[in-house]
Structures are given as C-alpha cells and as structure tokens.
Amino acid sequence: MTDCNDLCNKLKIESTEINIYEKAKEYAVDYIKNIDSRCVNPTDKAIEDLSYFIEDFPENGTKTLEILRLLNEYGSPATIAQTGGRYFGFVNGGAIPAALATKWIADVWDQNAALNVMSPVASILEDICERWIVELLGLPHGTAAGFVSGSSAATLCGITAARNYLLKNKGYDVAKHGLFNAPPIRVVLSEEAHSTVFKALSILGLGSERIEKVKSDNQGRIDYTQVPPLDNNTLLILQAGNVNTGAFDNFDVLCKEANEKGAWVHIDGAFGLWAAASNEFSNLTKSLYLADSWSTDAHKTLNVPYDCGIILCKNRKALTDALQMEGSYIIYSEKRDNLLYTMEMSRRARGIELWAALKSLGKNGIKLLVDNLREKAWYFSEQLKNSGFEILNDVCFNQINVYVGDDNITQNIIQIIQKSGVCWCGGAKRAGKSFIRISVCSYKTTYDDIDMSVKAFVEARSKIYNI
Ligand SMILES: *Cc1c(COP(=O)(O)O)cnc(C)c1O
C-alpha cells in the first residue's frame, strides 16, 4: 500500500493543484463571457473535432491541465449554447448566476446529501428550500419536498407514494407483498400526458394499456367533461404545462371532484408549476393546491443548473413510507435526513444551489421571472404573426407552436434555423400537424434576441419557399 503522499507524488498532483483550479476557472469564465457571441448550435467543424476524444483507453494517465485543454479546445465548441439568450429548444432553462456560482462551491464541498450526519449544511438548506417552495407555490402547510435529478424521478416518487397509499387504503401493503396479488387500482390521465409519466407508470407496474386515457382539447388540456367517474381507488394525473402548448388542465373542477371522491391527484408541473408563484396566472393555477402531489423542475423555469427536480407531497408520511430504507450503519437524525424523500441514498447536494436561486431571486424575483417569460413569449409570437407565421396555440405561458407547412417543410426550416447558429428550436407534432416548437425559458432572453430569432425564421422560410 502506498500512502496518499506517495500516490500524490506519483500522480504529480500536488505541485500543480492550484493551477488546475485556476485554469478551470479561467476556461469557465471565458465561456460565460462569450456565450452570446457563440453559434447556438455547434458548427460542423466543432462536431468533426469531437473525434479528438476517440482513442483506445490509455495505459497511462494524462496531466489534468492537458485534460482541461482538450475539453476547452474540443469539448466547449461542441456544446449547445443553452445558457445564452437564444436557445428555445425543449424546455431547458438557463442558469442564473447565483445558482451557477453556488454550484461551483457546492462541487468543491462535494457533500453527500443523504444523511444529516453526512452533511448538516445540505440537510438544513434542503429543509429551507422545502419550506420556501411550499409557501411560494401556495401548497398546503407541511407539504414534504424531495430533491431529485428531474421531473422524471420526481414523478416516479410521487406515483410510488400514490400507489402505495391507495393500496394501503384497501388493506394491502404493496411494499411488503409486491404487486402480484395486489387489488387493482385505476390510473386516469390525459392522452397528452408527458412521456416520462408513462415511463414512471410502466416502471411501477401500473402498465400502459390498462390506463384510462382521456382525450384532450384543442389546446392539449385534459377534456374534463370526459374524465370517468373518480373513486378512492384512483390515481388521477394532471399537468400544469402541456409540454407542447404550455396549457394547464382544469384543476378547479378536477381536484375538487377528486377530493370529494378520495382519489389521489398528481400534477406534473415540470415547468408550469412555477406559474403558481405569480397571481398573473391565477386563472391557470386555481385550485392546484388541492392536489396530493406535484412534480417540478428547478432546472427549467427557475433557471437553476442541472440536475434539479422536486417532488412535493402533501402527505409527508405517504412519501417517506414509500421511499424508506433501513440499514444497520445508517444513522438517522432528529433533523432532516434527505434520503427519506428521494429514491437515491448518496447524491450531490443540489439543494445548495437551489437555495441560492431562491435566496437570490426572492418571491418577487421569481414572480418577475415567470411573468417575464410569458411577456417575452407573447412578444415572440406577435412578431412571428406580424411576419406572416401562423401560431397554433394560445400562448398562455412560455410555449409557442409555429406552423410553417407539412412535415417535410417543417423539418427543413428547423434545420436551416439550427444551422444558422442564431437560435435553436426543435419540432413536434400534435393533432396531425407538425410545427416548430419554441420554449421561452431563460432569464437571459432579451427582446433583441427575439428580434434576431424572428429574422432567422423569416430567412429560413424564404430559403424554402423562395420568397
Ligand atoms: C421536461 C418535462 C418532464 C421531464 O422532466 P425531466 O426533468 O427531463 O426529467 C416531464 N413533464 C413535462 C411536462 C416536462 O416538460
């Protein structure tokens, strides 16, 4: 056995240690400074240059400075400039400075957030995040929060709590006895529920064929008149923010109905749940607080860096019962032990940068952020309309669906826009129609960014239609 010093000497780490972090900081700061002058999409050359990474696994190690140089020279140009102001793909969100800078520090701390004894600071900050977010979104007092990698994981946690709770009410302990002899429970959701919801249901043994799928209306909201009768044996899954249109389901009617019948309501609010922070959206979020569990992403609308999702559950015990674990070496504390609220045990302490984001923005800042995303989305859609584009959806939040023609034409225009490097949008299809999908979800986006992007749309169209 070599001791650490011998090993450090062998690896030649010691003498250059501080240089390494200085260099990393220099590259990172350079990236941040130049983000807005970058092509949003990597150039063909940048993609070709990724071949520099392809090699057989080296026998011997490489100096850290050389590794950083490789990343800066060939990795960085092949990133998508999504922390700039003109990335409108998927629903990705930017990274506000307080959260990004804090994440650097949290990475240096390298805390394991699982248990209070492993990281008192991660424990208290996640506790505070829970309290603040519950208050911000107007959820029931005492609602529990778990901090997970994203909405996929959050939905999985929420649906697990729901499944176990509903079965427990039928006298069946699914955690003990498994699903094989369990009495059936019902799952009702919209045919336009997000694919990660279907994934969670299939992982949890709730199937995909036996789900009661409800048609959605022209905006992608669940058609609440078509929802089958609910009962205390039913999980109803709704959404705050349809991934294409941004539309919100009718929580006022459906949550009240579900509460009356004893059904469990889970709301997928990956990006839309944050609308509950602003009374500008009270028509969309009305009665959202009457649900039982909610999943959301801080890495989307809130502009926290990846990966930062949140499961919120009104019945704390239902969540912690579903996710509990035992082990002779596990030391539970009187204070918060984060692993009780998530699937993982060891994980990075993402609550630290989440706390920084909340602290940096305050309630008013978050309200301003979500209000502003909608104002920018409105402006974007108005400018597109003025340039002769057809907008398919009511822009109620931050999503815009732009119709440009059939599947082929849509794909071609998207490619030209992406290649232009000016902005980045993807495509989708709803109700048989292809469209370009714009998501305004970064605090960085300015009106100038939008004007430049509209110009890129116009130029791309003129290349296709020769006008
Ligand atoms: C993004 C998204 C998800 C999945 O979230 P991840 O953070 O990618 O796991 C689920 N539902 C909706 C509506 C989304 O927009």
Side-chain angles (χ1 to χ4, degrees), residues 410-421:
T410 308
Q411 276 317 313
N412 288 338
I413 292 188
I414 287 173
Q415 267 187 13
I416 295 171
I417 291 172
Q418 289 178 358
K419 281 237 159 190
S420 75

Side-chain angles (χ1 to χ4, degrees), residues 293-304:
S293 55
W294 306 260
S295 42
T296 191
D297 277 322
H299 59 222
K300 289 180 178 168
T301 314
L302 195 62
N303 282 226
V304 173

Side-chain angles (χ1 to χ4, degrees), residues 262-287:
W264 181 295
V265 182
H266 178 82
I267 296 179
D268 170 11
F271 61 95
L273 201 70
W274 301 99
S278 167
N279 47 18
E280 291 285 314
F281 296 97
S282 48
N283 59 328
L284 299 178
T285 59
K286 188 168 180 212
S287 302

Side-chain angles (χ1 to χ4, degrees), residues 24 28 97 104 175 213 227 284 383 391 399 467:
W104 289 2
K213 283 188 205 150
V227 171
L284 299 178
Q383 294 309 103
I391 307 300
Q399 303 291 103
I467 46 170

